[in-house]
């Protein structure tokens, strides 16, 4: 494989491994104390107004109705329409929606092209339109246009609006500038050397076939290099909210699972209560050896 | 958008020397509807005297919640700053913050600073968009400190997160900032990603309290410590609380026309009723009304005279996990000992969240006890016909304030409304309401915090939007000839409403009063002497 292909593979692997590391880290964190917030989307009919099972008399004697469809519907609406931004921060909504839709389109395009390369690598010719052509041209153009316009809009807003500028961090600007650099390289490649994405398709064929593709034009290589930088960096940034949202919404905001009879979480929590506590304030009463169970059972009066 | 100040306030600038980093600008407060737009905010404001300002640090915004004294010498300052760094590491450790680690790390890692949360924060908006009250402002100070001083902190992270200097200014202002948010969590509701700036406030308070012993004295020394020591944050011992309840029973008996008696320590009762003990002292008609309802409905119930158990409060919920656990475990322990079928939590919002929600997973099978809100419990009594009710006795405008800890934290929205629709013919909603309500401005302990000029701040800033909502709910009936009732089934909210009504003259000018839900129920009971509700302000 050529250097550009190797870089592409390494960057993709860095993305996957980095995201897996982060996701596993979140997933294996200790069971947390309940911190849900209503409306909770799986509460069935009550979710419309934000109600919960706590509204029922002796709720513990009644079956809980948990609607996963309700959760999916709420997340889908949030992802596809950015509902929270639309309702609370309308001036940011349009550029943000364009930006995200552009990214969704480009991501879908990339996934489809990978699928096309995989079928070709298997000797199947099921998806010939994914080897390059007008459909890819159109999808790429739409995706790039939306993402670029959205990113420019967001950057303009962050730069020109004093409140947003003050509240932004170096990372917020860096991410947008990095993405715009990727988009610029992509535009250059698309306009000058690979409008129908046939070069991209054969590049992927080379990777999956573990063979060197012919030397690629500089503009195409620049696109791959910039994209690779972005993908390798992504897991270490707040851009992991694309899967982080699963945890913030499902594992925290909607985690209202009751500890029925005290048994559901008992084993895990008992282990946590046996952890040593090190906080230093006098009223805690920690001495380096006491556990959470020890100090929680104390009735200190100081 | 407010005009840019001469020296824009930035997160990094929290460390700079300034007599006041971002003062409360009274002329920027969002105006109230007429005739209250004529009220000069200056009349509600109290600046610290120069002498007091020299004693305590109020350099964040001219307000002091914590009475933080400047370090006596560089060595003490070093100790405090080292303590903050040490606390930062514990905040992100599995050993020392397992209960909140996942939600904290998720929030720290994923904020994109889109400021959608700011557009939902009543304190930020009502202050006229004072920069230091922006939900991300305090969160970003924490992020910058962690990037630089926390576990795994490094130059690369610090460069991308933004720089910060850790000095006394940063230390003191961050501590104060932890008490400029009521933990209402509208910010998390609004956030498209699920970042929780209310949680950041909670974690900051915990860091200062659990590592350095710095907390609101009203919540800690006079709050949770007193509760654990003598039985109640009000200072009432078991003997005193029984005496007080006896007195309330006598008053109720005279008022309602039949004998009312609160049972104590009845083993095997169906219900252990737990009140915020503040009700007993400040709003005795509330526990009294509960007793009347329980008796008339034929409920098998009891209160407990054991230490801690006659006070449902758990202030640790807001600022200290260890104090929180101590009180919650005690509450459950007493209920198990009494062998009651369930605990019913009275009209106290944070008591609900503490015992029914946050404590849930630390109550193993030995301490597991059913816990129910008064709201569905009373709704069931009211709607089942066990009480004879005449709604015409409540023929006056009523609006409902949804306590954050009932609505947004627990999803208890409909039961209070089912009750009000049955007994209050002129009930109307505030807007917004339910899970989208605004905090009264007294949440997370603010209602009991009045030192220095903090009470002035919560009247003018944190409570302002609630005054607006009340005035809008009663907009067509502000005539003082029409008495009006804010139904607020939460003790802390009641304290805040009492102070707001007094400060803004809502009783004198518009005959707006406040009270709990059960008082309205008893007021509608036909076998109770008319006039249970007395239209006087206290």
């Amino acid at each position: 494989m050529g250097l550009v292909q190797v870089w592409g593979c390494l960057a993709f692997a860095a993305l996957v491994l980095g995201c897996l590391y982060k996701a596993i880290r979140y997933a294996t964190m200790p069971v947390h104390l309940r911190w849900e917030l209503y409306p909770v989307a799986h509460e069935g009919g009550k979710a419309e107004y934000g109600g919960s099972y706590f509204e029922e008399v002796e709720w513990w004697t009644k079956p809980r109705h948990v609607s996963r469809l309700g959760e999916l519907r709420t997340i889908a609406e949030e992802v596809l329409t950015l509902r929270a931004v639309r309702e609370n921060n309308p001036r940011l909504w349009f550029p943000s929606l364009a930006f995200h839709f552009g990214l969704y389109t480009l991501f879908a395009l990339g996934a489809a092209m990978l699928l096309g390369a995989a079928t070709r690598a298997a000797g199947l010719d099921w998806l010939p339109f994914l080897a390059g052509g007008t459909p890819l041209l159109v999808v790429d153009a739409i995706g790039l246009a939306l993402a670029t316009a959205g990113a420019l809009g967001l950057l303009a807003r962050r730069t020109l609006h004093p409140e947003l500028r003050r509240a932004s961090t170096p990372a917020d600007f860096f991410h947008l500038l990095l993405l715009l650099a990727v988009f610029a390289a992509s535009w250059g490649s698309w306009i000058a050397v690979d409008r129908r994405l046939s070069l991209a398709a054969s590049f992927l064929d080379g990777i999956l076939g573990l063979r060197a593709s012919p030397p690629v034009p500089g503009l195409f290589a620049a696109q791959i290099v910039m994209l690779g930088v972005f993908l390798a960096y992504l897991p270490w940034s707040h851009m992991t909210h694309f899967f982080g949202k699963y945890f913030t919404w499902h594992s925290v905001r909607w985690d209202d699972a009751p500890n029925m009879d005290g048994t559901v979480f008992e084993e895990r929590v008992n282990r946590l209560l046996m952890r040593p506590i090190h906080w230093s304030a006098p009223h805690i009463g920690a001495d380096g050896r006491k556990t959470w169970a020890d100090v929680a059972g104390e009735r200190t009066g100081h | 958008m407010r005009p840019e100040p001469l020296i824009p306030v930035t997160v990094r600038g929290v460390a700079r020397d300034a007599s006041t980093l971002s003062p409360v600008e009274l002329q920027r407060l969002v105006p109230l509807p007429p005739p209250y737009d004529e009220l000069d905010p200056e009349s509600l404001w109290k600046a610290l005297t120069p002498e007091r300002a020299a004693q305590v640090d109020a350099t964040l915004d001219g307000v002091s919640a914590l009475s933080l004294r400047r370090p006596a010498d560089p060595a003490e300052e070093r100790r405090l700053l080292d303590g903050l760094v040490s606390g930062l590491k514990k905040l992100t450790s599995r050993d020392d913050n397992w209960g909140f680690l996942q939600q904290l790390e998720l929030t720290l890692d994923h904020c994109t600073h889109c400021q959608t949360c700011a557009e939902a924060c009543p304190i930020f908006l009502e202050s006229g968009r004072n920069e230091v009250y922006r939900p991300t402002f305090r969160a970003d100070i924490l992020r910058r400190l962690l990037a630089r001083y926390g576990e795994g902190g490094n130059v690369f992270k610090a460069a991308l997160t933004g720089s910060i200097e850790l000095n006394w200014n940063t230390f003191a202002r961050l501590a104060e900032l932890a008490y400029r948010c009521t933990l209402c969590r509208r910010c998390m509701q609004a956030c498209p990603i699920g970042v929780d700036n209310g949680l950041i406030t909670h974690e900051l308070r915990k860091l200062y309290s659990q590592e350095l012993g710095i907390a609101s004295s009203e919540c800690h020394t006079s709050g949770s410590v007193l509760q654990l020591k003598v039985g109640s944050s009000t200072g009432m011992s078991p003997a005193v609380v029984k005496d007080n309840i006896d007195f309330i029973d006598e008053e109720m008996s005279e008022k309602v026309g039949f004998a009312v008696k609160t049972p104590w320590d009845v083993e095997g009762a169906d219900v252990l009723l737990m009140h915020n003990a503040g009700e007993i002292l400040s709003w005795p008609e509330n526990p009294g009304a509960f007793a009347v309802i329980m008796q008339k409905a034929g409920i098998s119930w009891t209160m407990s005279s054991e230490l801690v158990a006659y006070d449902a409060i758990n202030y640790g919920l807001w600022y200290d996990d260890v104090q929180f656990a101590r009180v919650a475990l005690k509450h459950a322990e007493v209920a198990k000992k009494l062998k009651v079928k369930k605990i019913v939590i009275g009209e106290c919002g944070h008591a609900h969240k503490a015992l029914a929600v946050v404590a849930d997973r630390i109550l193993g099978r030995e301490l597991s006890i059913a816990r129910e809100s008064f709201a569905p419990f009373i709704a069931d009594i009211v709607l089942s016909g066990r009480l004879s009710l005449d709604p015409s006795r409540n023929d006056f405008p009523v609006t409902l304030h949804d306590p954050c800890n009932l609505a947004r934290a627990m999803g208890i929205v409909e039961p209070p409304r089912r009750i009000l629709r049955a007994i209050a013919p002129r009930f109307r909603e505030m807007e917004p309401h339910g899970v989208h309500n605004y905090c009264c401005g007294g949440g997370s302990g603010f209602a009991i915090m009045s030192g220095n000029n903090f009470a002035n701040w919560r009247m003018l800033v944190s409570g302002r939007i609630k005054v607006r909502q009340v005035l809008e709910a009663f907009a067509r009936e502000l005539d003082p000839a029409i008495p009006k009732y804010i139904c607020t089934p939460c003790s802390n909210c009641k304290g805040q409403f009492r102070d707001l009504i007094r400060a803004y003259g809502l009783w004198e000018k518009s005959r707006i009063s406040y009270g709990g839900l059960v008082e309205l129920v008893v007021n509608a009971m036909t076998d109770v002497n008319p006039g249970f509700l007395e239209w006087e302000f206290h």
Side-chain angles (χ1 to χ4, degrees):
Chain A
M1 283 202 281
L3 269 177
V4 178
Q5 286 171 302
V6 169
W7 169 249
C9 289
L10 286 175
F12 187 74
L15 169 75
V16 171
L17 291 173
C19 290
L20 269 176
Y21 165 77
K22 213 165 170 179
I24 290 170
R25 198 174 126 250
Y26 292 138
T28 56
M29 279 184 177
V31 64
H32 60 77
L33 299 186
R34 279 172 64 177
W35 197 246
E36 64 258 36
L37 192 74
Y38 288 83
V40 168
H42 59 233
E43 288 293 293
K46 289 179 184 285
E48 276 302 312
Y49 64 87
S52 75
Y53 61 84
F54 284 120
E55 294 185 314
E56 301 296 317
V57 174
E58 300 200 341
W59 57 265
W60 54 91
T61 61
K62 297 171 179 160
R64 271 188 75 211
H65 300 289
V66 175
S67 166
R68 294 294 170 213
L69 189 60
E71 288 190 8
L72 277 170
R73 206 165 31 223
T74 302
I75 278 289
E77 187 185 359
E78 184 51 52
V79 167
L80 294 174
T81 72
L82 303 190
R83 179 183 170 172
V85 180
R86 188 181 78 237
E87 287 178 351
N88 297 285
N89 197 1
R91 278 182 290 189
L92 199 71
W93 179 67
F94 189 68
S96 191
L97 190 69
F99 174 69
H100 281 88
F101 257 93
L103 290 177
Y104 299 157
T105 307
L106 292 171
F107 172 77
L109 177 66
M113 291 193 71
L114 258 178
L115 178 64
T119 58
R120 291 191 296 275
L124 304 164
D125 195 25
W126 291 345
L127 306 162
F129 59 92
L130 291 174
T134 306
L136 294 184
L137 178 159
V138 170
V139 172
D140 196 27
I142 291 172
L144 261 181
L146 282 174
T148 308
L152 285 171
L154 290 173
L155 185 63
R157 191 133 174 91
R158 274 200 196 274
T159 312
L160 299 173
H161 190 286
E163 282 188 14
L164 203 46
R165 186 173 63 238
R166 261 204 310 279
S168 298
T169 62
D172 298 324
F173 288 103
F174 174 66
H175 296 163
L176 284 171
L177 290 169
L178 177 60
L179 272 166
L180 281 167
V182 174
F183 298 152
S186 298
W187 278 115
S189 173
W190 183 78
I191 290 169
V193 300
D194 190 26
R195 208 166 297 184
R196 301 169 81 80
L197 299 187
S198 44
L199 182 56
S202 82
F203 181 81
L204 287 173
D205 287 340
I207 288 176
L208 291 190
L210 295 174
R211 63 179 184 276
S213 58
V216 293
L219 281 172
F220 182 84
Q223 178 193 222
I224 299 300
V225 167
M226 288 311 305
L227 181 61
V229 168
F230 171 71
L231 292 179
Y233 169 73
L234 189 155
W236 317 109
S237 73
H238 61 55
M239 291 183 281
T240 51
H241 63 258
F242 74 89
F243 66 82
K245 258 167 114 135
Y246 169 81
F247 294 99
T248 54
W249 287 67
H250 181 78
S251 303
V252 179
R253 189 169 163 170
W254 295 340
D255 183 10
D256 60 350
N259 188 18
M260 297 299 288
D261 302 320
T263 57
V264 177
F265 297 93
E266 187 178 39
E267 200 184 314
R268 283 177 282 170
V269 171
N270 279 348
R271 279 201 298 270
L272 293 165
L273 287 170
M274 288 301 123
R275 283 183 179 262
I277 181 170
H278 306 96
W279 293 99
S280 302
H283 71 274
I284 303 292
D287 60 2
R289 290 181 304 275
K290 284 185 184 169
T291 66
W292 279 87
D294 292 332
V295 301
E298 286 170 5
R299 305 283 180 260
T300 182
H302 63 276
Chain B
M1 191 172 64
R2 55 197 266 155
E4 282 292 282
L6 280 175
I7 305 178
V9 178
T10 62
V11 170
R12 188 176 169 200
V14 78
R16 71 179 174 87
D17 288 329
S19 58
T20 315
L21 184 69
S22 189
V24 175
E25 291 179 272
L26 301 178
Q27 71 277 18
R28 298 220 184 280
L29 299 175
V30 182
L32 292 172
Y36 293 87
D37 53 343
E38 292 163 14
L39 179 68
D40 183 1
E42 288 280 355
S43 64
L44 298 181
W45 181 241
K46 184 180 93 174
L48 291 182
T49 61
E51 296 73 31
R52 190 61 181 158
Q55 290 172 331
V56 301
D57 196 298
T59 62
L60 173 70
D61 54 358
V63 179
S64 171
L66 299 175
S67 297
L68 265 181
R69 290 185 182 262
R70 289 184 188 80
D73 49 43
E76 193 194 339
E77 181 175 343
R78 187 74 259 150
R79 181 187 68 74
L80 289 169
L81 299 185
D82 287 346
L84 184 66
V85 171
S86 156
L88 286 171
K89 295 187 162 97
K90 290 169 194 174
L91 207 62
T92 53
S93 90
R94 286 183 178 230
D95 276 351
D96 289 305
N97 198 20
W98 54 267
F100 288 89
L101 189 65
Q102 189 188 50
Q103 50 269 56
L104 175 62
E105 295 272 352
L106 285 164
T107 280
L108 289 170
D109 289 348
H110 288 110
C111 179
T112 63
H113 304 96
C114 67
Q115 302 308 307
T116 303
C117 54
E119 302 305 325
C121 175
I123 291 177
F124 174 70
L125 294 173
E126 289 293 313
S127 69
R129 307 178 79 87
N130 189 319
E131 192 62 28
V132 296
Y133 304 146
R134 185 184 290 282
T136 56
F137 191 87
R138 73 183 70 82
D140 279 345
I141 297 173
L142 179 61
R143 286 193 183 93
R144 292 180 187 217
L145 288 171
L146 282 166
R148 189 160 169 193
Y149 300 102
E151 282 300 331
N154 58 58
V155 168
F156 183 63
K157 266 190 203 171
L160 282 173
T161 311
S163 63
I164 192 124
E165 183 188 346
L166 178 56
N167 57 17
W168 169 254
N169 289 330
T170 307
F171 180 97
R173 289 167 183 164
L174 185 60
E176 284 287 336
L177 272 170
Y179 290 86
R180 300 292 188 278
C181 161
T182 60
L183 276 72
C184 80
R185 299 173 73 202
R186 287 187 106 247
C187 48
M188 193 203 195
Q189 257 184 355
C191 178
I193 293 173
V195 167
D196 189 348
N197 287 307
L199 172 71
I200 295 286
T201 298
H202 175 270
E203 297 300 287
L204 281 171
R205 292 189 192 186
K206 176 199 301 186
L207 190 167
Y208 278 93
S209 177
Q210 293 181 188
E211 186 65 7
L212 295 155
I214 293 173
S216 143
S217 59
E218 294 95 333
C219 293
H220 185 63
T221 315
S222 315
S224 66
V225 171
L226 193 59
Q227 182 185 22
L228 287 164
K229 189 173 173 183
V230 308
S232 167
S233 60
T234 60
M236 284 192 292
S237 65
V240 170
V241 77
K242 283 174 107 168
D243 271 346
N244 283 338
I245 290 287
D246 274 345
F247 180 74
I248 292 171
D249 284 345
E250 280 170 26
E251 290 265 296
M252 287 298 113
S253 301
E254 206 178 298
K255 218 170 153 72
V256 302
F258 51 84
V260 177
K261 187 74 190 137
T262 296
W264 287 97
D265 305 315
V266 175
E267 194 172 302
D270 284 352
V271 170
L272 168 62
L273 178 62
M274 293 178 66
H275 291 300
N276 176 318
E279 297 278 353
I280 297 168
L281 292 181
S282 302
W283 302 287
E285 63 275 13
N286 183 275
F290 267 102
V292 169
I293 293 169
M294 301 292 250
Q295 195 164 298
K296 274 293 171 182
I299 303 290
S300 153
W301 73 290
T302 187
M303 282 178 56
S304 167
S305 65
E306 274 224 34
L307 277 191
V308 178
Y310 51 87
D311 192 355
I313 66 116
N314 194 337
Y315 293 164
L317 176 71
W318 306 317
Y319 80 98
D320 191 298
D321 290 349
V322 174
Q323 294 295 81
F324 162 78
R326 285 169 172 159
V327 172
L329 292 174
K330 185 64 183 177
H331 283 154
E333 202 179 282
V334 170
K336 293 296 280 192
K337 201 165 137 190
L338 271 180
K339 300 188 176 72
V340 295
K341 291 207 176 94
K342 64 185 178 185
I343 295 173
V344 169
I345 307 165
E347 293 189 13
C348 177
H350 87 274
H352 277 67
K353 182 171 168 177
L355 198 52
V357 178
V358 183
D360 188 43
R361 290 174 182 175
I362 62 172
L363 300 180
R365 72 192 74 205
E366 284 181 11
L367 287 177
S368 176
I369 176 89
R371 290 145 280 147
E372 186 171 71
S373 166
F374 77 94
F377 178 78
I378 297 291
D380 183 55
I381 292 173
V382 166
L383 298 172
S384 65
R386 273 178 279 177
L387 302 176
S388 173
L389 298 163
D390 176 9
S392 71
R393 288 193 176 192
N394 285 333
D395 188 17
F396 42 82
V398 173
T399 192
L400 174 66
H401 162 71
D402 289 288
C404 298
N405 284 320
L406 254 64
R408 211 174 356 268
M410 287 181 73
I412 296 174
V413 177
E414 270 299 300
R417 285 166 169 80
R418 287 202 285 269
I419 297 170
L420 288 171
R421 286 193 285 262
I423 63 164
R426 289 163 75 181
F427 164 60
R428 79 285 308 272
E429 298 278 9
M430 297 187 192
E431 294 298 338
H433 55 266
V435 293
H436 300 293
N437 71 319
Y438 286 114
C439 177
C440 61
S444 79
F446 286 7
I448 57 166
M449 290 167 58
S450 291
N452 299 302
N453 56 355
F454 191 75
N456 306 86
W457 182 85
R458 64 180 166 84
M459 293 300 100
L460 277 169
V461 181
S462 69
R464 193 169 181 81
I465 202 159
K466 188 51 66 174
V467 174
R468 183 195 314 293
Q469 279 193 290
V470 167
L471 294 174
E472 285 168 359
F474 293 135
R476 286 190 301 274
E477 288 143 323
L478 285 180
D479 185 340
I482 307 170
K484 294 164 277 290
Y485 191 88
I486 306 167
C487 177
T488 172
C490 166
S491 290
N492 274 328
C493 302
K494 271 195 195 154
Q496 174 73 351
F497 274 110
R498 175 193 55 207
D499 294 344
L500 286 171
I501 290 170
R502 184 181 294 134
Y504 285 90
L506 300 181
W507 172 251
E508 292 84 17
K509 292 182 197 140
S510 304
R511 271 299 177 269
I512 296 174
S513 188
Y514 72 103
L517 182 51
V518 288
E519 294 92 310
L520 279 177
V521 173
V522 173
N523 200 53
M525 286 169 68
T526 58
D527 40 12
V528 159
N529 291 337
F532 180 81
L533 270 187
E534 291 169 6
W535 287 98
E536 57 182 30
F537 175 71
H538 65 278

